[in-house]
Amino acid sequence: MYRPTTLVYSSHNRCEYLHREFIVQRALESRDNKTILFLPMSMHHRHQQEYGYDTFSWYFRRFEPEGLRHIPFFWNENLRREDVDLLFHHLYHDQVVILGGGNSELGMARYHALGERFRGDRDTFGRILHERQARGLLTVGFSAGADQLCHYLAASIEEPLEDPYGFCLAHKILVTLHHEPGREWTVAMGASRYPDCLVFGLPNDSGLAVSQGVLPSGNFWQLIQFVIDESWDLPEDGWHIKTRQGVRIEHRYADGRHWSFNGGEQLLRVISPDGLWQDAWMMTHGRHILHYDTQTATFFHSFEHILENH
């Protein structure tokens, strides 16, 4: 039931646990389509896009003997219809799609432009992402890509954007990337600006694995699994990898209260069909279930128990 369809994360390099267990392994599970589609379109120039792909491809090549296939698609101003038709085919079918890093707003503009120019609908790209999600396929956002898969772009926390929305695969979630101590105010400001969202600061190397669905009652459920990766251990990279320094996933409530999440902990949210009501529960390392708002113990003995009652 809790099989993630969205992964948003921040990392300095290709830390082993997060990239192998959550991304590569998901592609290798397929019997007939062990393909990862990598989209570096949030990078400005072609050489930057190629560099963005190269920072992943060296890692993916390790798994080619196991059948892994990885392909990039680069943006340019002279794309042909047949190029974009092929992209949309891969976007719909490939086992894993990764939206890469760069500039979030630039990438969103290009993703919208693909649909507008070649299908007459700027929402084509996002609609295919949601169709992937409905079919249980995994869509991953790295850095700017993580921003784009959330409900709002993080830049809209500090300044108004003409179009502040991401693709909303991580429904009612907003993240700040490369979080580090001293940046808690950004998370707090986001929680205040978007009180209907859960706002997290993701340090390198950490992420949120999100699964969701609809209950028989009609209520929407969402499970967030918190991922902390401490596997990258090159000494020269130590300063960049905040999880190895003990930094955890930062969270702020709309009222300013603080919470931080460790790897392996989880949060379950239930939202009414009209979006006017929601509630949430947190599962700690000791598998204790706390009510999200009060931070106190509950009588529920499992997340399944919660969903059965909502």
Side-chain angles (χ1 to χ4, degrees), residues 131-280:
E131 290 171 355
R132 289 178 53 80
Q133 187 174 53
R135 290 157 49 231
L137 297 178
L138 177 64
T139 304
V140 178
F142 160 71
S143 194
D147 197 21
Q148 292 159 348
L149 292 183
C150 288
H151 207 97
Y152 297 100
L153 301 181
S156 68
I157 293 174
E158 298 184 53
E159 58 180 282
L161 299 181
E162 183 176 345
D163 184 359
Y165 293 98
F167 289 119
C168 303
L169 266 71
H171 181 69
K172 295 293 185 180
I173 292 174
L174 188 153
V175 297
T176 64
L177 287 307
H178 313 293
H179 176 77
E180 58 185 7
R183 296 290 298 175
E184 293 84 358
W185 66 269
T186 308
V187 183
M189 184 182 295
S192 175
R193 185 178 182 92
Y194 298 113
D196 57 332
C197 288
L198 297 178
V199 184
F200 303 95
L202 298 181
N204 295 338
D205 297 331
S206 72
L208 312 177
V210 182
S211 50
Q212 58 192 42
V214 178
L215 296 168
S217 64
N219 288 333
F220 172 85
W221 66 268
Q222 179 186 70
L223 180 72
I224 303 170
Q225 299 170 266
F226 298 94
V227 183
I228 297 287
D229 190 335
E230 299 176 348
S231 62
W232 189 263
D233 59 359
L234 291 184
E236 60 267 30
D237 289 340
W239 184 85
H240 299 281
I241 302 173
K242 304 305 179 183
T243 54
R244 290 186 64 84
Q245 301 171 22
V247 178
R248 295 300 179 247
I249 295 173
E250 173 74 11
H251 176 60
R252 291 297 175 111
Y253 289 69
D255 61 12
R257 284 180 295 159
H258 160 80
W259 193 271
S260 62
F261 289 94
N262 291 295
E265 296 184 328
Q266 302 175 63
L267 186 149
L268 176 68
R269 179 160 54 163
V270 177
I271 304 174
S272 65
D274 59 11
L276 298 179
W277 170 90
Q278 65 174 292
D279 208 346

